[in-house]
Amino acid sequence: DTGVSQNPRHKITKRGQNVTFRCDPISEHNRLYWYRQTLGQGPEFLTYFQNEAQLEKSRLLSDRFSAERPKGSFSTLEIQRTEQGDSAMYLCASVGHPNEQFFGPGTRLTVL
Amino acid sequence: AQSVTQLGSHVSVSEGALVLLRCNYSSSVPPYLFWYVQYPNQGLQLLLKYTSAATLVKGINGFEAEFKKSETSFHLTKPSAHMSDAAEYFCAVSEWGTSKIIFGSGTRLSIRP
């Protein structure tokens, strides 16, 4: 257990529905990352927060994706109008020193 | 741009044999380098990290890796494989001054009885 939690662990949804995932990082870490991992691939960077500020977004993050980190604590990742191509594992990482990322267990999304 | 290349998407060794997983990096400045392990349907666990101190880095579960600047390599080794080592292994890199990590495509390690 890394101290990073993600909910839900699994989500099955129908195409076109909206989904929201939550990440609770390690409390003293002010940096938080979201990654997406598809089958047989390494995690790919989606977006990054320092405290409540979203500092960088990947080109992978289409307009249907939005992430927030109110008050610099937990973070949410929302996908609107889901597509089958969104099916993946969504990983959250809490960043300590030096640049060590502590990963949560992930949320596996299946879009039918 | 920084990147890592993992040679071999699948490695199979016998129990008790040497494990060698290869990783080469590309970075314009001295990097931080990491090896992570992922068991099925789980998140990633840090095995070890290189942060410019000793070039030979020891990690958890008997794994170690050696940073070789001349070869731009950071290969992961374990002297004697155990069945519980079967998992996916990812090499990753980040540059000084940023916490953004770029992952390799992974190497699946299988252990034969």
Side-chain angles (χ1 to χ4, degrees):
Chain A
D1 183 1
T2 62
V4 181
S5 60
Q6 291 189 247
N7 288 288
R9 293 292 306 277
H10 303 275
K11 179 70 176 178
I12 300 174
T13 191
K14 293 183 179 179
R15 189 175 52 187
Q17 298 295 304
N18 299 343
V19 295
T20 299
F21 311 140
R22 176 175 170 133
C23 170
D24 286 273
I26 296 169
S27 59
E28 59 266 30
H29 290 174
N30 60 10
R31 291 174 288 169
L32 183 152
Y33 279 73
W34 284 99
Y35 293 87
R36 181 171 69 187
Q37 186 181 21
T38 53
L39 202 61
Q41 298 296 317
E44 296 173 294
F45 167 76
L46 290 180
T47 190
Y48 153 51
F49 289 86
Q50 179 150 333
N51 299 312
E52 66 275 13
Q54 188 174 17
L55 297 186
E56 188 175 351
K57 293 194 294 185
S58 164
R59 286 172 293 176
L60 293 174
L61 216 63
S62 76
D63 292 344
R64 298 183 297 105
F65 288 71
S66 62
E68 294 183 340
R69 193 182 181 200
K71 302 179 182 178
S73 55
F74 70 91
S75 177
T76 58
L77 178 67
E78 181 183 14
I79 309 175
Q80 296 181 326
R81 305 181 303 281
T82 52
E83 301 173 356
Q84 287 185 327
D86 297 331
S87 295
M89 175 80 90
Y90 289 84
L91 294 164
C92 168
S94 177
V95 183
H97 178 77
N99 289 1
E100 182 175 332
Q101 302 209 1
F102 295 85
F103 283 84
T107 295
R108 180 167 294 284
L109 173 66
T110 301
V111 181
L112 302 176
Chain B
Q2 54 187 337
S3 65
V4 289
T5 301
Q6 292 185 243
L7 302 176
S9 60
H10 182 212
V11 171
S12 179
V13 302
S14 298
E15 189 174 18
L18 171 71
V19 174
L20 171 60
L21 305 183
R22 299 177 187 273
C23 173
N24 288 89
Y25 70 91
S26 172
S27 179
S28 56
V29 296
Y32 288 133
L33 292 162
F34 308 87
W35 276 98
Y36 284 87
V37 61
Q38 186 176 37
Y39 298 98
N41 296 314
Q42 294 187 26
L44 284 80
Q45 180 183 8
L46 181 68
L47 278 178
L48 50 80
K49 61 181 183 285
Y50 167 75
T51 58
S52 81
T55 56
L56 182 62
V57 182
K58 295 187 182 298
I60 62 171
N61 301 340
F63 285 93
E64 62 182 36
E66 186 172 7
F67 173 73
K68 292 187 176 180
K69 185 177 179 180
S70 60
E71 299 177 7
T72 60
S73 69
F74 191 58
H75 302 330
L76 182 71
T77 60
K78 181 173 181 177
S80 177
H82 191 273
M83 296 299 291
S84 61
D85 294 327
E88 188 89 17
Y89 291 80
F90 293 95
C91 182
V93 63
S94 72
E95 291 183 344
W96 291 91
T98 174
S99 53
K100 183 177 177 180
I101 288 185
I102 306 299
F103 286 87
S105 56
T107 297
R108 182 163 60 92
L109 176 64
S110 300
I111 311 297
R112 301 188 300 271

